[in-house]
Amino acid sequence: MSAEKGRSVKLPNRGTPMGVAVMGLMRTGTTLVSDLLTRRGRSLVVSEPNLMGLWDAPLQLKLGRLYREFGLELPALLPKTGEYRTNIEYFDQVVLPELKPLELWGIKCVDLFGWQRLLRIYPPQKLVLCVRDLRAVTISALELVNRMGLVFTDTKRMRDEAWIFARIAYTVQELMALRALPHMVLRYEDLVADPAARDRLAAYCGLDRLGEERLNLAIERETRSGWELAKHGKEITRKALDRYEDEPEGPMRSMAERIWRMFPEYSLAFGYDVPAPKLRIRRHDFCLGPDPGINRIKFQDTEVWNWRGPKQLEPVFGRRRARMIVAANLKPGAVLLDLGCGTAAMRKMLSKASSHLPADVAVRAPLFVTSDIYRGELPPGGEATHVAALGVLEYVDDLEDFLKGLRAYNLPIFVSYYATDDTGDVDRESLGWKNAYRRNELMRMFIAAGFQPAPKWAFDGLQSLFRLIPRQNLARKRPRPRAKIILQGGPRPAAGGKKPAPKAKGKSKKEFEPA
């Protein structure tokens, strides 16, 4: 939560210059740059201190490990609860006096909310903007969210594909505004592949050489630090350069391309491939406005777990809404095989007694099962009791064959689809969709595949959701004869020949209704 709108923060050292500010998109090498600019006894760049946020004790514990490992003399114990209201108060009063004697100190941020105020408090002498091809940023962010288990860190925040989409769009707009300040652009592709780019970084920041330790990475969770070190070791490698090229076709690749097409100004400004004019997305709530200093996306909205997103159709936000309904219709103890899930967000939406089996076309975390889903090669069901394919059908080459594969599970299936009856004005090809079916065509295909479909047509205005029950699994109860009911002590006719009034029936909890 930001401290922008609240009581004034008491800062005795207002206007203290810092040596360098490192700012950029997530997954652009900002943590690596922080470590390269950190050398024991000489320079320290602190990664993500979240100075514009309210007091965060777990964050301060993590940063305390960094400060002590570097060699700063700070109190071993955190202050008492309530002593500091914001992170920046503690930083200014306790940490900053230890940083001032250093040859260079600074901070690194990918959460750019409130950067104008931050840079007024600590004006940087040097500013490094870290960038990367937006398509690679998107695919790499998917892996980060899954490997670190960031999906649904609590009940109020969402870390799914829609959050990634919105956060990248928000940060791009802030970066375009930051370009108005004197800065150095550092492209991730150059940072890891060209030693000369690292030499330019050292010279720009006034260092004779760069650091070699990964102090900022070491304080991260094991789910991140272990994964990064296992991939790259202690060296700077090119292993993450082909993230987008290695991503198979499907909704996640389409999302990455869509973000790239939405911001041609970013690609042009930082030297990346620019989408052809006919491919560019021009009229959208997330696009850059005429004034680069006014962000058209509200940061607070991106953090709301059930934010509906832009008024334009974005499949990742539709998938979020479909997940909410499916999760509400699964009983505790269910085991859900989630086909083409992108992120494991559904895991935190289910009850604690339920299990989640993520499956996609790429390994985004150790628990993921991979197969060529969109070409009909479905993974084994294992212990699953239910299957979900949300935001998947539109990307399937042969939908009839895909439905036959779903029927082979012999389990209840949840699927979503944007029928052409409800999306007549939508350019399906621009979204990467491979097919276009009307409502009646869908129903015929579901029935032909052996399902009894229960639809919720256009439940969010455009998207429909279906529960598909294998027909042979439909249990039909035979009505018992009236005489037998009476013999078993059932309801008898009242005196005078009048039948008792039937009991009012409430809604079943199993009813397939939107949450």
Side-chain angles (χ1 to χ4, degrees):
M1 180 177 179
S2 171
E4 286 284 332
K5 296 181 180 179
R7 296 176 298 172
S8 60
V9 180
K10 297 179 180 179
L11 295 173
N13 296 314
R14 183 179 295 274
T16 300
M18 65 175 160
V20 61
V22 178
M23 296 189 169
L25 289 155
M26 57 182 168
R27 310 307 293 158
T28 57
T30 53
T31 304
L32 174 59
V33 171
S34 300
D35 283 334
L36 290 174
L37 296 177
T38 296
R39 293 174 56 189
R40 291 179 187 269
R42 296 192 61 181
S43 60
L44 173 61
V45 175
V46 183
S47 175
E48 297 302 323
N50 191 21
L51 297 183
M52 292 293 97
L54 296 179
W55 175 255
D56 185 340
L59 173 64
Q60 298 305 328
L61 280 173
K62 182 178 79 169
L63 294 177
R65 296 198 301 272
L66 170 68
Y67 300 144
R68 287 189 291 275
E69 179 65 24
F70 179 80
L72 300 184
E73 296 182 3
L74 294 178
L77 299 177
L78 286 180
K80 297 179 181 179
T81 303
E83 185 173 347
Y84 294 97
R85 192 177 66 87
T86 62
N87 294 326
I88 198 169
E89 290 178 18
Y90 178 77
F91 181 87
D92 195 87
Q93 297 173 28
V94 179
V95 181
L96 184 58
E98 294 289 318
L99 295 176
K100 283 183 176 181
L102 297 178
E103 180 180 331
L104 178 77
W105 74 269
I107 61 174
K108 160 250 173 169
C109 299
V110 296
D111 183 351
L112 299 186
F113 177 62
W115 63 264
Q116 297 93 335
R117 181 167 174 264
L118 175 64
L119 298 191
R120 285 196 300 269
I121 298 171
Y122 303 127
Q125 297 173 333
K126 304 292 182 180
L127 174 62
V128 179
L129 299 184
C130 295
V131 297
R132 188 179 185 181
D133 188 295
L134 291 178
R135 295 166 292 186
V137 169
T138 305
I139 301 303
S140 185
L142 284 166
E143 186 175 17
L144 175 73
V145 164
N146 281 296
R147 286 188 177 270
M148 292 191 67
L150 297 182
V151 289
F152 280 82
T153 53
D154 55 46
T155 58
K156 297 180 181 179
R157 295 191 178 189
M158 177 79 77
R159 296 291 184 267
D160 60 355
E161 305 92 324
W163 177 82
I164 292 171
F165 193 116
R167 180 52 59 87
I168 292 175
Y170 174 87
T171 309
V172 165
Q173 301 209 28
E174 296 300 321
L175 277 175
M176 297 303 287
L178 274 163
R179 292 177 64 239
L181 302 177
H183 64 276
M184 171 189 179
V185 173
L186 186 59
R187 304 189 339 157
Y188 177 81
E189 294 82 355
D190 300 331
L191 173 66
V192 300
D194 185 5
R198 300 193 285 274
D199 293 338
R200 289 194 295 271
L201 173 65
Y204 177 74
C205 295
L207 297 175
D208 56 352
R209 63 182 180 86
L210 296 174
E212 299 178 352
E213 295 183 90
R214 298 305 310 272
L215 297 182
N216 281 284
L217 180 61
I219 66 170
E220 294 289 347
R221 302 183 201 172
E222 173 60 25
T223 51
R224 180 182 176 186
S225 60
W227 153 50
E228 297 275 12
L229 291 172
K231 179 189 292 185
H232 302 289
K234 296 183 179 180
E235 304 296 327
I236 299 175
T237 72
R238 306 184 184 192
K239 293 181 179 179
L241 281 181
D242 300 325
R243 302 308 302 273
Y244 174 72
E245 288 76 8
D246 294 341
E247 175 68 18
E249 288 189 3
M252 298 302 98
R253 185 182 176 93
S254 295
M255 178 180 75
E257 184 175 349
R258 188 163 177 80
I259 293 173
W260 170 70
R261 290 166 51 211
M262 194 172 290
F263 298 105
E265 303 91 343
Y266 170 95
S267 297
L268 183 63
F270 298 119
Y272 293 105
D273 291 340
V274 181
K278 65 178 182 179
L279 296 177
R280 296 174 189 174
I281 300 172
R282 303 180 186 275
R283 297 180 181 179
H284 196 283
D285 290 353
F286 285 2
C287 285
L288 286 166
D291 187 346
I294 299 177
N295 199 325
R296 303 178 68 182
I297 306 170
K298 294 182 179 180
F299 178 85
Q300 292 89 341
D301 289 342
T302 67
E303 292 290 289
V304 177
W305 71 276
N306 59 354
W307 183 42
R308 293 182 65 87
K311 64 177 180 289
Q312 296 83 8
L313 187 157
E314 286 300 340
V316 289
F317 283 91
R319 176 182 285 197
R320 171 185 284 185
R321 293 189 287 271
R323 281 172 173 157
M324 294 177 190
I325 300 179
V326 171
N329 279 272
L330 286 175
K331 292 181 178 180
V335 180
L336 181 68
L337 175 62
D338 198 357
L339 299 177
C341 61
T343 64
M346 185 71 85
R347 179 181 305 161
K348 298 290 184 177
M349 301 176 75
L350 300 175
S351 71
K352 293 183 179 180
S354 299
S355 301
H356 181 250
L357 306 175
D360 208 344
V361 293
V363 180
R364 309 194 193 280
L367 294 177
F368 270 67
V369 177
T370 59
S371 65
D372 200 349
I373 292 172
Y374 302 99
R375 296 184 185 275
E377 298 178 10
L378 303 184
E383 302 296 323
T385 60
H386 297 76
V387 178
L390 306 177
V392 168
L393 301 191
E394 291 86 352
Y395 300 89
V396 172
D397 292 322
D398 187 342
L399 186 53
E400 292 183 359
D401 184 66
F402 184 83
L403 292 175
K404 292 178 183 177
L406 291 180
R407 180 62 184 82
Y409 286 121
N410 200 32
L411 296 170
I413 313 287
F414 292 95
V415 298
S416 64
Y417 193 80
Y418 289 91
T420 57
D421 312 61
D422 309 308
T423 56
D425 298 332
V426 173
D427 183 357
R428 303 177 78 89
E429 185 177 355
S430 71
L431 295 170
W433 291 351
K434 300 291 187 65
N435 53 60
Y437 293 106
R438 297 176 62 85
R439 289 183 176 188
N440 58 354
E441 294 173 319
L442 286 170
M443 295 296 282
R444 282 198 293 266
M445 284 193 290
F446 292 150
I447 294 171
F451 291 109
Q452 179 68 36
K456 290 297 294 183
W457 297 112
F459 73 90
D460 63 355
L462 296 173
Q463 179 184 199
S464 297
L465 189 60
F466 306 85
R467 180 166 55 184
L468 308 179
I469 305 298
R471 277 204 299 269
Q472 66 191 37
N473 290 352
L474 293 175
R476 296 183 178 179
K477 295 183 179 180
R478 296 182 180 179
R480 291 183 291 178
R482 178 71 177 175
K484 189 173 183 180
I485 294 176
I486 294 174
L487 290 174
Q488 290 181 350
R492 296 174 181 271
K498 293 183 180 180
K499 295 181 180 180
K503 293 182 179 180
K505 294 183 178 180
K507 273 192 174 183
S508 170
K509 292 183 180 179
K510 302 177 184 178
E511 191 172 359
F512 189 44
E513 291 290 344

